[in-house]
Amino acid sequence: EVQLMESGGGLVQAGGSLRLSCAVSGVTLGDYAIGWFRQSPGKEPEGVSCIKRSDFSTWHLDSVKGRFTISIDNAKNTVTLQMNSLKPEDTAVYYCAGFRPYGSLRGYDRTWYKYVEVRGQGTLVTVSS
């Protein structure tokens, strides 16, 4: 059984940093892309960042480019999202999720969460102004 376990959410002031971690068990990362999507109350979900284990290619939502960094530790089967310069609009529940992409991540947009095959329970990130 594939399981994703998130950790690292919390409350931070605007301009601060948080690190989210996702531990993957039950499957080797293999052909999967692992990433994070988020959802705020009353809004549609949106993909934030993801990374392919096979070639370490990444995809980021435009609004987080330059602020968020995603990395993967293949030996530990963990994916980390480092979030810097956080803004109140980053407030959301963040879900670690996995999917098997067709080709390059460049072909995807913020709706990649629709292709998710497995996801964690989510962790709340709150950024105060």
Side-chain angles (χ1 to χ4, degrees), residues 32-37 46-53 55-61 64 68-72 79-81 95-99 101 103-113 116:
Y32 276 81
I34 301 291
W36 302 84
F37 72 91
E46 61 180 359
V48 176
S49 301
C50 58
I51 185 169
K52 283 179 67 175
R53 181 265 184 188
D55 60 9
F56 300 98
S57 59
T58 61
W59 179 95
H60 292 284
L61 185 67
V64 308
F68 291 11
T69 302
I70 191 168
S71 60
I72 191 167
V79 178
T80 300
L81 183 68
Y95 297 90
C96 180
F99 68 103
S104 171
L105 291 176
R106 295 178 184 177
Y108 289 84
D109 60 20
R110 64 173 63 197
T111 64
W112 61 256
Y113 67 87
V116 162

Side-chain angles (χ1 to χ4, degrees), residues 22-40:
C22 179
V24 182
S25 62
V27 68
T28 54
L29 293 175
D31 295 331
Y32 276 81
I34 301 291
W36 302 84
F37 72 91
R38 66 188 180 187
Q39 186 167 22
S40 304

Side-chain angles (χ1 to χ4, degrees), residues 67-111:
R67 300 189 296 124
F68 291 11
T69 302
I70 191 168
S71 60
I72 191 167
D73 184 329
N74 288 324
K76 296 182 179 179
N77 252 21
T78 59
V79 178
T80 300
L81 183 68
Q82 178 65 43
M83 305 185 294
N84 298 328
S85 302
L86 282 161
K87 303 176 180 180
E89 50 263 43
D90 294 318
T91 295
V93 177
Y94 284 69
Y95 297 90
C96 180
F99 68 103
R100 282 171 285 191
Y102 290 101
S104 171
L105 291 176
R106 295 178 184 177
Y108 289 84
D109 60 20
R110 64 173 63 197
T111 64

